[in-house]
Amino acid sequence: MDNNSVNRTNIIGAGEVGSAISVDMDKHSIHKMNSNFWDTKGNEILGATSLPLYGAFVSEEKCQLFGDVSGKKLLEIGCGSGQSLQYHGERKASELWGMDISENQIEKTRQHLTACGLTAQLVCSPMEEECGIPKDYFDFVYSIYAIGWTTDLEGTFSRIASYLKKDGVFIFSWSHPIHKCVVAENNTLAFKKNYFDESWYSVSLNEGTLTLSDRKLSTYVNALSKAGFVIEQMIEQSDEEIIQSCGDNNEFAKKAKMLPVTFVFKARKH
Ligand SMILES: C[S@@+](CC[C@H](N)C(=O)[O-])C[C@H]1O[C@@H](n2cnc3c(N)ncnc32)[C@H](O)[C@@H]1O
């Protein structure tokens, strides 16, 4: 899979973590590797990947993209350990659905929601594939730090559009691609990676391996448009209160003051 390996800059969370190795895009080996990672490591090591946080330095409490979800049907793509579903369950959503590639994550979600007195329909599948989720059914489909793992962005967005009712809303967050290119070094920010490079790479994290690619913002915008979505809002501003709560010496907060580290899109199906 990695016959043309090249080491490259790799930023996860607050900073540079080891180096990444370029690999060929092969959907089946990527699914195998990534689901093994989530099966064994879970999402706790990444941090800030569940509502009310959309990712580092962006919060639903400030952005209010969902509004009132009471009585609404919601589906989470890449539901992880179920914390974001819990968030909506506590706000009286009428139906909760979650899907995830990892059986262990699905089981964690099931146990977590049960412990919270909530129930959800849970489906174990890659988001790229047909998996029996109903069509023209949901008021909201959302994804907190999971969309970027897809090996087929356009196909995934078009599937998500098919799950939504007309005028239904799709909200998703991911690492901002500028954050993935810039490293803090000796009190300066150095641009260390080609923003246009969307090739795939593998990274070691906590004795596991993840494979992904860093897409440009325009790739997300154009894929949304191609799937029939109209973008209503995009968030890339770091939250000043979260920055301040980190204290003066937090390097990640200093970076988030200068550039976006997380982005969120809110788009509507036409
Ligand atoms: C950072 S976690 C999401 C956490 C979640 N928002 C929460 O509230 O717990 C990312 C999730 O995406 C899932 N994932 C990765 N690749 C996927 C794919 N191709 N299809 C579906 N889920 C995938 C992982 O198994 C993982 O549970």
Side-chain angles (χ1 to χ4, degrees):
M1 190 171 156
D2 57 353
N3 28 358
N4 291 319
S5 300
V6 182
N7 284 349
R8 44 198 260 184
T9 294
N10 164 44
I11 295 167
I12 292 190
E16 219 169 341
V17 229
S19 65
I21 296 170
S22 295
V23 297
D24 295 333
M25 206 300 258
D26 174 83
K27 182 171 105 170
H28 297 291
S29 48
I30 289 171
H31 281 172
K32 197 165 160 214
M33 192 173 279
N34 286 352
S35 54
N36 182 51
F37 179 90
W38 299 105
D39 272 344
T40 51
K41 309 288 172 197
N43 47 284
E44 290 77 11
I45 52 168
L46 293 184
T49 59
S50 49
L51 291 173
L53 291 175
Y54 280 108
F57 302 102
V58 180
S59 158
E60 166 65 2
E61 274 154 14
K62 188 66 69 66
C63 300
Q64 294 290 312
L65 298 180
F66 281 90
D68 182 6
V69 297
S70 59
K72 306 289 186 196
K73 294 175 184 157
L74 283 85
L75 163 68
E76 179 168 4
I77 307 290
C79 60
S81 49
Q83 316 279 339
S84 304
L85 286 169
Q86 174 199 355
Y87 182 84
H88 289 306
E90 287 169 350
R91 282 156 186 78
K92 307 278 178 275
S94 65
E95 267 185 51
L96 298 174
W97 287 63
M99 70 98 66
D100 201 287
I101 197 171
S102 153
E103 278 175 25
N104 279 12
Q105 294 283 74
I106 289 284
E107 193 42 42
K108 273 194 203 166
T109 295
R110 196 182 310 282
Q111 287 177 11
H112 179 67
L113 293 178
T114 304
C116 299
L118 296 164
T119 51
Q121 301 277 344
L122 300 173
V123 179
C124 187
S125 168
M127 63 181 97
E128 297 92 325
E129 287 167 19
E130 165 58 45
C131 58
I133 291 176
K135 306 273 193 303
D136 300 310
Y137 190 74
F138 293 95
D139 301 290
F140 289 91
V141 177
Y142 69 97
S143 186
I144 314 298
Y145 255 91
I147 283 297
W149 301 114
T150 183
T151 53
D152 174 11
L153 192 71
E154 288 184 3
T156 300
F157 281 180
S158 125
R159 237 175 239 300
I160 287 170
S162 76
Y163 302 147
L164 282 164
K165 293 175 183 167
K166 184 174 180 303
D167 295 325
V169 168
F170 175 35
I171 294 173
F172 72 97
S173 65
W174 189 250
S175 287
H176 199 292
I178 294 289
H179 166 52
K180 301 284 284 186
C181 292
V182 176
V183 176
E185 271 179 0
N186 311 321
N187 282 329
T188 58
L189 293 174
F191 212 98
K192 297 253 281 203
K193 181 182 162 283
N194 181 347
Y195 176 82
F196 301 113
D197 181 2
E198 298 191 331
S199 62
W200 287 76
Y201 60 93
S202 284
V203 294
S204 295
L205 189 63
N206 222 15
E207 292 163 6
T209 308
L210 283 166
T211 300
L212 69 160
S213 93
D214 299 331
R215 298 178 172 100
K216 307 184 290 287
L217 276 185
S218 55
T219 301
Y220 289 99
V221 169
N222 294 330
L224 283 169
S225 170
K226 198 165 175 188
F229 286 106
V230 172
I231 295 168
E232 290 196 344
Q233 209 172 336
M234 181 194 169
I235 308 281
E236 57 178 3
Q237 187 67 49
S238 304
D239 184 319
E240 193 54 42
E241 277 175 38
I242 304 179
I243 290 178
Q244 278 178 11
S245 71
C246 294
D248 291 341
N249 295 323
N250 183 300
E251 293 300 324
F252 196 17
K254 282 187 203 165
K255 187 178 180 187
K257 227 175 149 57
M258 303 285 286
L259 55 81
V261 298
T262 299
F263 72 78
V264 191
F265 277 104
K266 176 178 180 181
R268 196 174 293 271
K269 175 179 172 176
H270 254 350

